[in-house]
Amino acid sequence: MNVQPSVLSLKVLPEDSEQGYLIEEKLYQYNKPFGVVHLPKQGAVLLAEKQGEALGGAKLPWRKDGYLSIGLLHVDEPRGQGVGTFLMNKIEDIVTENNCLGILTDTLAHQAPGFYPKFGFVEHGRIKDFLGGQDRIYFHKKLGAKK
């Protein structure tokens, strides 16, 4: 069926609208024969503390394709005290416990491009001069969900 653009209209709706869920469900059904896993979960926020003082944290939005995304990860200065390693180990525990396929994240060149490879992440893309001359670097780590 060919639809002429002149007869189409567009509505902008909240992400959690009934129509949004309908579109998600249609995508899930389309992807199912291809073995794509969908995890209908809410995200999480991790907070690393020492004696009640926040030293770092992460925001982890679940992706619906079986991967966990590290949306934000921050560690206070001075770095190199093990807070980032603690957070990454906890993130990997969450991914394993939830049978995810792996983890996706990105960082800017001035932030942490050397941090993620220490945990087995592989760079899979880069946008040059993304923001203020900084490259945006994309990483992934496959863990493999249990079947």
Side-chain angles (χ1 to χ4, degrees), residues 33-118:
F34 299 97
V36 177
V37 178
H38 292 283
L39 298 171
K41 297 186 177 210
Q42 296 297 317
V45 175
L46 304 182
L47 185 61
E49 297 179 310
K50 182 178 181 182
Q51 299 174 343
E53 179 187 353
L55 302 176
K59 288 181 77 172
L60 309 172
W62 287 100
R63 294 170 46 96
K64 305 235 188 296
D65 58 5
Y67 281 80
L68 179 75
S69 179
I70 300 174
L72 298 171
L73 188 138
H74 175 76
V75 174
D76 289 348
E77 299 288 346
R79 294 188 175 160
Q81 307 298 309
V83 176
T85 297
F86 174 78
L87 287 167
M88 292 302 294
N89 289 336
K90 294 300 179 186
I91 291 167
E92 192 162 323
D93 288 348
I94 290 168
V95 168
T96 302
E97 290 166 9
N98 286 277
N99 296 321
C100 293
L101 299 172
I103 309 168
L104 300 172
T105 193
D106 65 87
T107 188
L108 295 174
H110 75 278
Q111 292 174 330
F115 177 73
Y116 295 104
K118 292 177 187 176

Side-chain angles (χ1 to χ4, degrees), residues 4-31:
Q4 296 299 318
S6 61
V7 299
L8 296 175
S9 63
L10 179 69
K11 289 182 183 177
V12 178
L13 303 166
E15 183 179 14
D16 62 351
S17 68
E18 185 177 328
Q19 292 88 346
Y21 290 119
L22 176 64
I23 292 168
E24 278 185 330
E25 183 58 33
K26 286 182 177 187
L27 180 61
Y28 298 163
Q29 293 307 317
Y30 175 81
N31 285 337

